[in-house]
C-alpha cells in the first residue's frame, strides 16, 4: 500500500460548520467520511437569575425583560447581564462524581441563562496526544490506548446516565471511536501527523465531557443543550504559534447557531476547540479552555465569567513556597496579567483580553470548596472618594531555570542598532526573552532567557558580533546560569512612594544579591534577577515584608548546656505566642554540642529536644552545621546563637556574617579578644545587612550595651563607666559581712551554684576584665584585654592548684588579708566591692577591689545583682544607673532571647 501524504489530506476541502470532513484511507483510495457530532437536543424554557456574592446586585427592568423575550422569539441572540458563563477544567470533571458536582453547581446557579464551558476529563487530552505519538511512531499499541480512552468514557457514562440518554451517548461515542481509529490508522501509515490532524484528534475529549454533562443536567429536569464550539468559534493562526479570535465571524456563527437553538437556557459548550475560517478543526493551544470561556463571555456580553478550579482563588504568592500566602479578594486585569506572565497560577494573559473590552469580571473559584468566595479579577476598584483601594503590592511571582545574558562593551554606547542586532540574533534562534535591562550609559545590555535556550543564544551572539569582539568594541558576551526572576506586582505601586525601597530593603535584610533589575514605566511590576538558590528565600522575605506574614528565622543553637538549654526551653514555651501575636516563627533547625548535633529541616521538636539529641544526634561537625543552617532555601533569614564560651567558635563569627548568617551570642571571647578581630567584625557589620547582637555579653539580661549605644547614638559623650559586673562577686561581697570568713562565703556560693565549677574563674577577675574591655571598645577606646590591670582575688600560692577541690581546701589559709580589709572599711563606714572601671577621659580601664560609702548605690546591692553607672556629659552630676540580676541561666537566656527577637524586628516583624 503506497504512503499517502497527510499534508495533502489536511488541505482537502472542509464542509459547513457542524459537520467536518474526516479523511480516512481505505486501500488505495482517499475517502471522506462525513461525521456529525450529536445534534439531538431537547428544549423547554426555564428562567433563572444569579448575582455572585462578589458582585454588587443589579436589577433588570421589565421593559428590558420584554425586549429580551421578543429577541428570543425573533431568533436573535439576547446578550448582556442575563448570561452567566462558567468554565470547568479537567480536574473539575475528572470522574463521574465530580461531573455530578459540576452539574449541581450549574443547576443551582439561578441566572436567567447559563453558558458552561468544559474541558476534557482529567488526563484525557494527554491520552489523546499519546495516541497520536504512538500512531506516528508506528506503534501498534495505539489501538489498546484508544480502547482505554473508550473504556474511561464508557464507564463514566454508565455511572452517570441511563435509558435513552445512555444509549444515545454510547452510540455517538462508539461512532467517534471508529472514526478516530480510521484517522489514527492513516497517521500510522503516513508515519507523521499534521497539526490539523492532531487538533482534530485531541479535541474529542471536550466533545464527550460536554455531552455527558449536558445529559446529567437534563436529568435534573432542566432543558440543556450542548454546543460544539467548532460551530461557533473561529480563530486565525498568528506568527507566535498561537491563534487570534475572529470575533466578527464568530458573532455571525453564534447568531446562526442560536437561531436554531433559541430556547436554550443552559448551554454546555466545548472548551479548547475551534475552527479556522476554512472550517478546519483546530485548538486554542495552551490554556485553551480558559480562553474559550473568555471569548464566549465576550460574545454573550455576560455579567460574569466564573472559572472553576481546585484552588480557593489567586494567592499572593505560590503557597507551596510561602506558607503564609493569602487569597486575594480582588485583582485588576493588569495585575492578573502581570502575575500570570511571571508564572503565577492565575490565568494565561490572553484569557483576560476578550473580557477586558466589556468590563466582564472574572471570578476564580474552587469547585471543591464552594464556601470560599474566590478572587475577582476586574477593573481597579475605587472607593466613594475615587481613591484606589488595597495594598500597593498585590502579589509576587517567580520564574526559575533562567540564564542571564550580558552583552557589554564601550563600543555599544551611542551606536544605533546595537540592541536591534542583539535581539535579531536572539529571534533567529527562537529564544524567548523574559526580561531586558539596560544601563543608561548604554555600556551593557542584559536579558534573561530560559536556561535550555541560552546555549543557542550564546552561539548566535558570538557569531553575530565576532568582528566587534575581536576589535574590542564589545568586551564580552557573558552567560550567568542558575538564575530566577522574582516579580512584585501591584497596580497601586505607580502612585505609592517607597514601594521599591521597601522591596529592595527586604531583599537586602535577607542577604539576597540582585543581579539585574527591570521596571516598566507603568510601574505595575518590579522585576529582579537573583540566584536560583536564593529565589525562595527572596520570595519569602518580600512577601513577609509587604503582607506582614510571619518573619521566619532558621535558628542554629551552639552549646545546649545550662544557658543554651534554658534558651531552648524559653523558645519552646513562647513559640505559639510569637507566631500568633507577633508574627515571628523561630524555627530551630539545628542544635549542636561539642560532640553531637541534631538537624531538622522542618524544625526540631523543642518539647523533646533532649531526647532527640540522644536518640537521633549525629557526630558534631561545625562546618556541616553552619552550612545546614544557611542552606535552608525555604527560610529567608538564618541566625546562629553561640551559647558557649569557646574562643574557637567566636573566631568563626566573621565568616558567618560574611556568608549572610546573623549572629547572637553571650560569648565574650570575640568582643574582648584580639582588637583587630573585633574591629574587623564591627566593620563588616556596619557595611552589610547582617546583624551581630551581643547584649548578654555584659550584664546577662540587663540593657547595658543597648543603653551605652543609645547614649552614643544620640550624641552624648561617655566620661566614665563603673560597675559591679559579676553576679558571683556581687554575691560574695554582699554576704561578706560580720564575722564570716571569705572562704565560707565562697563555699556557700559554690554550693548554691553561683560560681563556676572552679571558683578561681570568677575570683581571677578575668570575666570582669572582659566586660570592661567590651564596654571600653563600645565607647570608642582601643583597649586590649592583656593591657588591662586586674586585681585577682586568687592568692598567688593557690593559682597553681591542680583542682578546684584543692583550691577550696587551702583557701581558708588566706582569709586573714581580706578580713582585715573588710574591718578597715567597716571602721570607715564603707563596704568592699569588686568593680570594673572604664575611664574614657584617661583612655584606660581597671578591675579592682574598691571601698564605697554605705550610702553609695554600689553599697545598696543584695544577692547577685549587677549595677552599672554611666557618667556622661549629660549625666555628669548624677550618673545613669542600670541595676538588676546580672547572673543566672534564666536571665542570661532571656537576654539572648531578647536579642533574637530584636533581630526578627529588624528583619521585618511588626513591632
Amino acid at each position: 500500500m503506497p504512503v499517502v501524504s497527510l499534508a495533502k489530506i489536511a488541505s482537502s476541502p472542509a464542509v459547513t460548520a457542524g459537520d467536518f470532513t474526516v479523511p480516512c484511507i481505505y486501500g488505495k483510495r482517499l475517502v471522506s467520511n462525513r461525521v456529525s457530532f450529536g445534534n439531538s437536543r431537547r428544549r423547554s424554557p426555564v428562567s433563572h437569575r444569579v448575582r455572585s456574592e462578589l458582585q454588587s446586585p443589579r436589577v433588570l427592568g421589565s421593559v428590558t425583560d420584554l425586549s429580551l423575550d421578543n429577541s428570543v422569539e425573533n431568533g436573535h441572540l439576547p446578550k448582556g447581564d442575563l448570561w452567566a458563563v462558567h468554565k470547568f477544567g479537567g480536574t473539575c470533571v475528572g470522574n463521574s462524581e465530580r461531573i455530578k458536582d459540576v452539574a449541581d453547581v450549574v443547576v443551582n446557579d439561578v441566572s436567567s441563562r447559563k453558558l458552561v464551558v468544559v474541558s476534557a476529563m482529567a488526563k484525557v487530552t494527554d491520552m489523546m496526544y499519546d495516541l497520536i505519538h504512538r500512531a506516528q511512531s508506528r506503534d501498534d499499541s495505539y489501538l489498546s490506548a484508544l480502547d482505554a480512552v473508550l473504556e474511561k468514557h464508557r464507564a463514566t457514562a454508565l455511572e452517570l446516565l441511563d435509558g435513552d440518554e445512555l444509549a444515545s451517548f454510547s452510540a455517538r461515542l462508539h461512532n467517534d471511536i471508529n472514526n478516530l481509529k480510521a484517522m489514527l490508522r492513516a497517521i500510522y501509515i503516513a508515519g507523521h501527523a499534521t497539526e490539523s490532524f492532531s487538533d482534530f484528534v485531541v479535541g474529542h475529549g471536550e466533545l464527550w465531557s460536554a455531552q455527558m454533562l449536558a445529559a446529567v443536567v437534563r436529568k435534573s429536569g432542566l432543558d440543556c443543550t450542548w454546543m460544539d464550539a467548532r460551530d461557533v468559534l473561529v480563530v486565525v493562526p498568528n506568527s507566535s504559534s498561537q491563534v487570534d479570535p475572529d470575533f466578527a465571524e464568530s458573532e455571525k456563527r453564534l447568531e446562526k447557531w442560536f437561531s436554531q437553538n433559541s430556547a436554550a437556557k443552559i448551554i454546555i459548550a466545548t472548551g479548547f476547540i475551534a475552527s479556522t475560517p476554512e472550517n478546519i478543526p483546530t485548538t486554542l493551544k495552551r490554556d485553551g479552555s480558559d480562553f474559550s470561556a473568555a471569548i464566549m463571555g465576550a460574545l454573550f456580553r455576560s455579567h460574569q465569567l466564573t472559572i472553576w478550579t481546585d484552588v480557593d482563588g489567586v494567592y499572593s504568592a505560590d503557597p507551596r513556597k510561602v506558607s503564609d500566602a493569602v487569597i486575594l479578594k480582588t485583582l485588576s486585569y493588569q495585575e492578573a496579567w502581570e502575575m500570570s506572565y511571571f508564572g503565577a497560577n492565575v490565568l494565561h494573559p490572553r484569557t483576560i483580553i476578550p473580557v477586558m473590552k466589556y468590563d466582564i469580571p472574572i471570578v476564580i473559584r474552587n469547585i471543591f470548596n464552594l464556601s470560599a468566595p474566590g478572587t475577582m479579577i476586574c477593573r481597579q476598584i475605587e472607593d466613594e472618594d475615587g481613591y484606589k483601594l488595597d495594598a500597593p503590592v498585590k502579589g509576587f511571582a517567580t520564574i526559575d531555570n533562567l540564564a542571564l545574558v550580558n552583552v557589554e562593551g564601550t563600543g555599544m554606547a551611542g551606536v544605533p542598532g546595537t540592541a536591534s542586532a542583539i535581539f535579531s540574533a536572539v529571534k533567529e534562534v527562537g529564544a524567548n526573552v523574559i526580561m531586558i535591562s539596560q544601563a543608561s550609559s548604554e555600556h551593557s545590555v542584559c536579558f534573561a532567557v530560559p536556561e535550555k535556550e541560552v546555549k543557542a543564544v550564546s552561539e548566535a551572539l558570538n557569531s553575530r558580533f565576532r568582528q566587534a569582539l575581536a576589535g574590542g568594541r564589545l568586551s564580552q558576551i557573558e552567560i550567568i546560569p542558575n538564575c530566577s526572576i522574582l516579580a512584585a506586582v501591584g497596580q497601586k505601586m505607580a502612585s505609592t512612594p517607597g514601594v521599591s525601597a521597601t522591596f529592595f530593603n527586604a531583599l537586602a535584610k535577607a542577604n539576597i544579591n540582585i543581579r539585574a533589575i527591570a521596571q516598566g514605566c507603568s510601574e505595575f511590576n518590579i522585576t529582579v534577577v537573583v540566584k536560583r538558590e536564593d529565589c525562595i528565600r527572596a520570595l519569602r522575605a518580600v512577601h513577609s515584608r509587604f503582607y506582614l506574614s510571619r518573619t521566619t528565622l532558621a535558628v542554629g543553637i551552639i552549646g545546649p548546656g545550662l544557658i543554651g538549654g534554658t534558651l531552648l526551653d524559653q523558645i519552646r514555651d513562647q513559640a505559639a505566642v510569637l507566631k500568633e501575636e507577633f508574627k515571628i516563627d523561630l524555627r530551630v533547625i539545628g542544635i549542636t554540642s561539642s560532640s553531637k548535633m541534631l538537624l531538622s529541616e522542618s524544625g526540631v521538636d523543642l518539647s523533646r529536644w533532649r531526647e532527640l539529641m540522644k536518640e537521633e544526634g549525629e557526630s558534631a561537625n561545625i562546618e556541616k552545621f553552619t552550612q545546614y543552617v544557611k542552606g535552608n532555601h525555604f527560610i529567608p533569614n538564618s541566625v546562629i546563637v553561640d551559647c558557649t564560651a569557646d574562643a574557637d567558635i567566636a573566631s568563626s563569627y566573621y565568616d558567618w556574617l560574611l556568608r549572610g548568617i546573623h549572629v547572637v551570642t553571650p560569648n565574650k571571647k570575640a568582643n574582648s579578644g584580639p582588637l583587630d578581630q573585633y574591629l574587623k567584625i564591627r566593620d563588616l557589620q556596619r557595611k552589610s545587612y547582617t546583624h551581630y547582637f551581643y547584649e548578654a555579653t555584659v550584664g546577662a539580661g540587663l540593657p547595658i550595651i543597648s543603653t551605652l549605644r543609645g547614649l552614643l547614638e544620640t550624641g552624648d559623650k561617655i566620661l566614665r563607666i563603673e560597675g559591679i559586673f559579676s553576679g558571683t562577686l556581687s554575691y560574695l561581697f554582699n554576704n561578706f559581712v560580720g564575722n564570716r570568713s571569705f572562704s565560707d562565703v565562697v563555699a556557700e556560693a559554690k554550693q548554691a551554684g553561683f560560681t563556676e565549677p572552679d571558683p578561681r574563674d570568677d575570683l581571677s577577675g578575668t570575666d570582669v576584665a572582659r566586660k570592661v574591655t567590651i564596654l571600653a571598645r563600645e565607647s570608642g577606646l582601643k583597649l586590649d584585654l592583656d593591657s588591662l590591670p586586674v586585681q585577682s582575688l586568687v592568692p598567688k600560692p593557690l593559682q597553681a592548684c591542680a583542682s578546684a577541690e584543692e583550691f577550696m581546701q587551702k583557701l581558708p589559709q588566706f582569709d586573714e588579708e581580706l578580713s582585715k580589709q573588710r574591718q578597715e572599711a567597716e571602721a570607715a563606714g564603707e563596704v568592699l566591692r569588686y568593680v570594673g572601671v572604664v575611664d574614657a577621659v584617661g583612655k584606660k580601664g581597671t578591675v579592682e577591689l574598691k571601698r564605697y560609702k554605705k550610702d553609695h548605690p554600689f553599697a545598696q546591692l543584695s544577692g547577685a545583682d549587677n549595677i552599672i553607672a554611666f557618667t556622661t556629659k549629660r549625666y555628669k552630676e548624677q550618673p545613669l544607673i542600670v541595676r538588676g540580676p546580672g547572673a543566672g541561666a534564666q536571665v542570661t537566656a532571656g537576654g539572648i532571647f531578647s536579642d533574637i527577637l530584636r533581630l526578627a524586628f529588624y528583619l521585618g516583624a511588626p513591632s
Side-chain angles (χ1 to χ4, degrees), residues 404-407 412 422-423 433 435-439 444-448 478 480 515-517 529:
L404 203 59
V405 181
N406 183 42
V407 183
M412 293 174 59
I422 291 171
F423 293 110
V433 177
M435 186 206 83
I436 304 171
S437 179
Q438 180 177 10
S444 67
V445 175
C446 73
F447 54 93
E478 180 187 12
I480 305 172
R515 290 181 162 176
I517 303 168
V529 178

Side-chain angles (χ1 to χ4, degrees), residues 655-666:
D655 178 58
W656 294 343
L657 293 168
L658 199 61
R659 292 163 70 174
I661 305 171
H662 306 287
V663 177
V664 172
T665 184

Side-chain angles (χ1 to χ4, degrees), residues 792-814:
S792 174
L793 298 180
V794 181
K796 284 187 177 180
L798 301 186
Q799 291 177 2
C801 287
S803 65
E805 290 73 18
E806 181 185 351
F807 168 75
M808 291 302 297
Q809 289 172 3
K810 294 181 179 181
L811 183 59
Q813 301 171 19
F814 299 89

Side-chain angles (χ1 to χ4, degrees), residues 409-728:
T410 54
M412 293 174 59
V415 179
T418 303
S420 174
I422 291 171
F423 293 110
S424 293
V426 174
K427 181 183 178 182
E428 286 175 5
V429 296
N432 180 27
V433 177
I434 309 294
M435 186 206 83
I436 304 171
S437 179
Q438 180 177 10
S440 59
S441 66
E442 303 181 36
H443 176 69
S444 67
V445 175
C446 73
F447 54 93
V449 297
E451 209 158 38
K452 63 184 179 181
E453 299 173 358
V454 74
K455 183 179 178 182
V457 169
S458 176
E459 291 173 352
L461 290 174
N462 277 283
S463 174
R464 175 68 64 89
F465 294 102
R466 183 179 293 108
Q467 188 175 350
L469 287 166
R473 296 192 303 277
L474 288 186
S475 57
Q476 65 172 343
I477 297 173
E478 180 187 12
I479 305 299
I480 305 172
N482 302 318
C483 293
S484 293
I485 278 180
L486 167 63
V489 174
Q491 193 163 344
K492 200 177 174 185
M493 288 165 57
S495 58
T496 307
V499 173
S500 295
T502 303
F503 181 80
F504 292 118
N505 185 257
L507 292 175
K509 287 185 174 180
N511 205 45
I512 303 295
N513 183 45
I514 298 170
R515 290 181 162 176
I517 303 168
Q519 180 176 16
C521 59
S522 68
E523 298 185 57
F524 286 173
N525 84 70
I526 302 171
T527 305
V528 297
V529 178
V530 299
K531 292 180 182 177
R532 184 189 302 162
E533 59 264 30
D534 290 340
C535 186
I536 294 178
R537 287 197 302 115
L539 175 62
R540 290 188 173 196
V542 294
H543 188 276
S544 173
R545 185 66 185 84
F546 281 95
Y547 274 90
L548 292 181
S549 56
R550 290 179 187 147
T551 298
T552 306
L553 272 172
V555 182
I557 305 286
I558 301 178
L562 180 61
I563 304 298
T566 304
L567 173 63
L568 285 164
D569 293 340
Q570 289 181 356
I571 294 174
R572 174 200 64 205
D573 296 340
Q574 193 66 7
V577 175
L578 290 175
K579 284 181 182 179
E580 296 305 316
E581 296 187 18
F582 298 96
K583 303 297 182 183
I584 298 172
D585 183 3
L586 299 182
R587 201 82 56 83
V588 179
I589 65 171
I591 303 171
T592 184
S593 65
S594 58
S595 59
K596 274 192 171 186
M597 66 180 181
L598 177 66
L599 306 175
S600 172
E601 186 173 335
S602 59
V604 175
D605 180 359
L606 295 185
S607 65
R608 49 192 298 266
W609 68 267
R610 291 178 177 85
E611 301 169 41
L612 294 172
M613 280 285 286
K614 294 177 182 177
E615 296 170 2
E616 301 177 13
E618 57 185 279
S619 296
N621 182 316
I622 196 65
E623 180 53 38
K624 180 179 178 181
F625 179 84
T626 302
Q627 184 56 43
Y628 192 84
V629 173
K630 173 60 180 172
N632 191 309
H633 303 311
F634 292 93
I635 302 178
N637 300 291
S638 54
V639 57
I640 288 181
V641 183
D642 174 21
C643 295
T644 72
D646 192 311
D648 288 338
I649 297 295
S651 67
S652 299
Y653 293 176
Y654 182 83
D655 178 58
W656 294 343
L657 293 168
L658 199 61
R659 292 163 70 174
I661 305 171
H662 306 287
V663 177
V664 172
T665 184
N667 187 344
K668 294 177 274 291
K669 298 295 173 64
N671 286 13
S672 63
L675 180 61
D676 61 338
Q677 177 182 302
Y678 166 79
L679 294 174
K680 192 177 175 184
I681 291 174
R682 291 306 309 276
D683 184 58
L684 176 61
Q685 182 191 9
R686 293 187 186 100
K687 291 178 179 177
S688 70
Y689 279 89
T690 312
H691 298 284
Y692 173 44
F693 292 142
Y694 44 88
E695 183 71 73
T697 57
V698 179
L702 295 179
I704 308 301
I705 300 290
S706 56
T707 299
L708 174 56
R709 281 194 174 177
L711 292 170
L712 292 170
E713 288 167 0
T714 56
D716 205 351
K717 184 177 180 181
I718 304 298
L719 303 176
R720 184 181 180 88
I721 303 172
E722 188 172 0
I724 297 172
F725 296 103
S726 168
T728 300

Side-chain angles (χ1 to χ4, degrees), residues 55 95 133 199 210 358 510 545-546 553 590 598 643 703 763 785 868:
Q55 188 173 7
N95 55 44
H133 174 73
D199 287 347
Y358 300 102
R545 185 66 185 84
F546 281 95
L553 272 172
L598 177 66
C643 295
L763 298 175
L785 179 64
I868 294 89

